[in-house]
Amino acid sequence: MTDALLTASRPELLDKDGDRTLRGLLYDYFAFGRSLETARETFAGFVGLSPTQYLILIAIKNSTAEEPMGVNQVAERLYLSGAFVTNEINKLVSDRLLEKSPHPEDGRRVQLALTQHGVSLLIRLAALQRPVNDALFGMLTREEFKTLTQLLSRLASNADSALKLAEHVRATLTSQEDQRASATNLPLPRKKRPATLRKTRSRQ
């Protein structure tokens, strides 16, 4: 394979077959990601929630008294915008699944907690989650599971920077192509409307 066709350049990501191992990893990751998305939709639908509302409830369930969650903390944990999370939280409050209370140290903030109705809903949901999660991750040893957790956390924290870089590089390459086409009086390539790059995480 010529270097011009490689989809990565870092030596750590390449081997004697070029980027074949990297591509295989991504194909497997996408396949597993689709499975996670389907599982998340199944879990959410089982209790009458949207996938995002389901994630919000799970995130707040895992908060502690020492580290209570507000809107910003939920948004940060789920890699979502604060405005979007605020709208979803307000729906969950209206449905009596969440309750807000003033933060004891900062009057501008609120703390979020599950209501008894919310707890009952998650107890019902857990009966479905347990066997599915066991099947999804059951082939891993404890050490493999810990390693996977650490690696995915590092990848997730860096993904936003990578997407911003993609926007910058795309704009630069498009400009260079336009300049070359203009200089040689060639017809400009037909442009498609660029897809919006968004920060997304398959979590469940």
Side-chain angles (χ1 to χ4, degrees):
M1 178 182 293
T2 64
D3 289 350
L5 289 174
L6 291 175
T7 58
S9 61
R10 293 178 61 87
E12 298 88 347
L13 305 179
L14 304 173
D15 52 32
K16 63 182 179 62
D17 295 320
D19 60 0
R20 182 176 297 179
T21 301
L22 171 63
R23 302 317 307 173
L25 180 150
L26 291 174
Y27 299 148
D28 291 341
Y29 182 84
F30 295 148
F32 188 61
R34 286 193 296 270
S35 296
L36 292 180
E37 290 286 355
T38 300
R40 185 181 70 172
E41 292 171 0
T42 300
F43 294 158
F46 181 65
V47 289
L49 298 174
S50 72
T52 301
Q53 291 170 342
Y54 154 77
L55 289 179
I56 290 172
L57 286 187
I58 294 293
I60 293 172
K61 180 207 66 163
N62 289 319
S63 63
T64 64
E66 293 74 23
E67 295 183 4
M69 279 196 168
V71 173
N72 291 339
Q73 288 72 35
V74 172
E76 181 179 347
R77 184 67 192 91
L78 300 181
Y79 301 94
L80 296 171
S81 74
F84 178 65
V85 168
T86 296
N87 289 336
E88 295 301 308
I89 284 176
N90 287 339
K91 295 175 186 176
L92 292 169
V93 171
S94 297
D95 290 338
R96 298 180 292 109
L97 295 171
L98 287 179
E99 58 186 6
K100 298 179 180 179
S101 61
H103 192 280
E105 299 175 1
D106 187 345
R108 298 169 299 177
R109 296 170 53 191
V110 297
Q111 294 180 162
L112 299 167
L114 296 172
T115 62
Q116 187 55 53
H117 180 36
V119 171
S120 298
L121 182 144
L122 291 187
I123 289 173
R124 176 172 177 255
L125 176 59
L128 171 62
Q129 290 174 298
R130 282 191 293 269
V132 175
N133 283 330
D134 286 348
L136 284 169
F137 300 98
M139 76 295 300
L140 299 176
T141 66
R142 178 60 182 171
E143 287 305 312
E144 288 172 338
F145 179 70
K146 289 170 62 177
T147 299
L148 177 64
T149 299
Q150 294 165 359
L151 291 175
L152 284 181
S153 177
R154 289 167 59 190
L155 289 170
S157 64
N158 187 61
D160 191 41
S161 296
L163 293 183
K164 290 178 181 177
L165 175 63
E167 291 282 12
H168 173 73
V169 173
R170 180 173 65 181
T172 300
L173 292 174
T174 299
S175 176
Q176 292 172 349
E177 291 171 354
D178 289 349
Q179 290 174 8
R180 285 196 296 269
S182 177
T184 56
N185 294 319
L186 293 175
L188 293 176
R190 188 176 179 182
K191 290 187 173 60
K192 296 180 180 179
R193 187 174 182 178
T196 302
L197 292 171
R198 295 185 300 172
K199 181 169 56 176
T200 59
R201 297 284 169 270
S202 296
R203 296 176 180 273
Q204 65 85 13

